[in-house]
Amino acid sequence: MKPDIVVFGSLNVDFVVRTSRRPAAGETVLGTSFQVHPGGKGANQAVAAAKAGRGKVALVGKVGNDPFSATLLDSLSKAGVCLDLMERTSDAPTGTACITVDDHGENSIIVVPGANALCSRKDVDAARPLLREAKILLVQLEIPFDTVVYAVQVAREMGVTIILDPAPARPLPAELLSTVDIITPNEHEASVLTGREVVDIQSARVAAADLTSRGARCAVVKLGARGVVLSQNNTLDHIPGFEVPATDTTAAGDAFAGGLAAALVEGRSLGEACFFANAVAALSVTKPGAQSSMPCREEVEEFIFKGG
């Protein structure tokens, strides 16, 4: 397979509890439902790109040699994601995420990396044949940071466009920022990266400009239903989002990342790709779960045609 998009990242099984409100410290509240979903930022983004786009998508990552791995691999396979470089290991269990979702669709997440923590430079080297054929590398920060940095370096040497979703949030060295083509933080992540509080469109403009001044070629600061602020070529643009009834915001950022990569592969401008990705993310929050909420191409096109 010659992939258009290579996703290097995490796979987790999501244990999702719904409750009227999330508990405070030391407090016990009653939940209303419990479900198990395939998730993990890398896997979610691969599924989103495969379902919303027309390009071929490959995922590089690790799962444990346990029953949960079958749930993840089956979901990816059904979405059409290439799994040639997925590895099962007996050295760690499959990654897990414990997610609490309240009645407003907002979530709190605890991630246990498991096998994701074993992703290494060797896995990047094994993926070199895929990267040589790819147009885009999509990475996040749920696998070891050193591995992410190395993957970005290898992709840069091969002339591959690099999209970094900097989640979970952490400060990033200038050397990495200057190697990335597009960085896509949400408000919290942009605040951590820049040291500036990001709460609205204006503060997102400041943060996006800051990120490009620090070396990123383009910065896309995500603002949920308010859309995104895009900084590129010394210009700032606001790409409006879509107002939809939110059922579950889990993986909305992953939906955006996958939609963005899918649109860019098709030759759209970054602004057009952000608009498309906003639609993918908006549709994802109208359904429960992570990968199960990712819309197909026909849903996205109909949603955009009807104006959201």
Side-chain angles (χ1 to χ4, degrees):
M1 174 185 179
K2 296 182 178 180
D4 300 290
I5 301 167
V6 173
V7 184
F8 203 118
S10 58
L11 300 90
N12 294 320
V13 176
D14 294 344
F15 299 100
V16 183
V17 174
R18 298 194 68 92
T19 180
S20 59
R21 62 182 180 84
R22 289 170 288 171
E27 180 185 19
T28 299
V29 299
L30 291 178
T32 56
S33 69
F34 170 75
Q35 294 177 311
V36 179
H37 296 288
K41 297 195 73 64
N44 293 344
Q45 293 178 14
V47 168
K51 291 183 69 175
R54 296 191 173 100
K56 297 178 180 179
V57 182
L59 175 64
V60 183
K62 291 184 187 293
V63 292
N65 190 18
D66 51 45
F68 293 131
S69 63
T71 299
L72 289 165
L73 299 179
D74 182 60
S75 175
L76 289 157
S77 180
K78 286 180 178 178
V81 177
C82 173
L83 303 177
D84 290 351
L85 288 181
M86 279 301 309
E87 181 182 345
R88 273 188 165 130
T89 176
S90 299
D91 295 329
T94 299
T96 55
C98 299
I99 304 173
T100 302
V101 184
D102 65 23
D103 282 347
H104 300 287
E106 296 297 329
N107 62 68
S108 300
I109 305 174
I110 300 173
V111 174
V112 182
N116 297 309
L118 302 181
C119 290
S120 68
R121 291 184 172 223
K122 290 182 179 179
D123 300 300
V124 177
D125 288 333
R128 282 178 181 267
L130 289 182
L131 287 171
R132 288 192 187 96
E133 304 291 342
K135 298 176 182 176
I136 290 177
L137 171 68
L138 191 50
V139 288
Q140 324 78 34
L141 302 176
E142 283 188 340
I143 60 174
F145 188 69
D146 175 71
T147 305
V148 173
V149 172
Y150 185 58
V152 168
Q153 291 172 345
V154 170
R156 171 59 57 216
E157 292 168 4
M158 295 181 176
V160 177
T161 297
I162 301 157
I163 303 175
L164 170 62
D165 180 13
R170 58 168 291 170
L172 299 177
E175 294 80 8
L176 178 60
L177 277 175
S178 63
T179 311
V180 168
D181 292 292
I182 306 168
I183 188 167
T184 62
N186 63 19
E187 293 163 280
H188 169 66
E189 292 148 8
S191 299
V192 172
L193 289 170
T194 65
R196 305 171 183 270
E197 187 177 18
V198 179
V199 294
D200 53 22
I201 293 173
Q202 182 53 41
S203 54
R205 288 178 178 271
V206 175
D210 190 345
L211 288 168
T212 50
S213 72
R214 296 185 187 199
R217 289 165 178 77
C218 304
V220 178
V221 178
K222 298 174 292 189
L223 301 167
R226 290 168 293 173
V228 302
V229 168
L230 165 61
S231 175
Q232 62 173 338
N233 301 324
N234 296 316
T235 62
L236 288 163
D237 294 295
H238 173 234
I239 313 297
F242 298 89
E243 291 282 352
V244 295
T247 297
D248 182 358
T249 59
T250 303
D254 297 332
F256 181 92
L260 183 70
L264 290 173
V265 159
E266 294 173 15
R268 305 192 193 201
S269 69
L270 183 53
E272 292 169 338
C274 285
F275 179 80
F276 181 85
N278 279 341
V280 176
L283 282 169
S284 77
V285 306
T286 65
K287 303 174 186 177
Q291 290 168 35
S292 58
S293 73
M294 299 304 175
C296 67
R297 179 59 171 252
E298 291 74 17
E299 290 178 281
V300 180
E301 290 180 339
E302 182 179 5
F303 181 75
I304 292 174
F305 179 76
K306 292 181 177 180

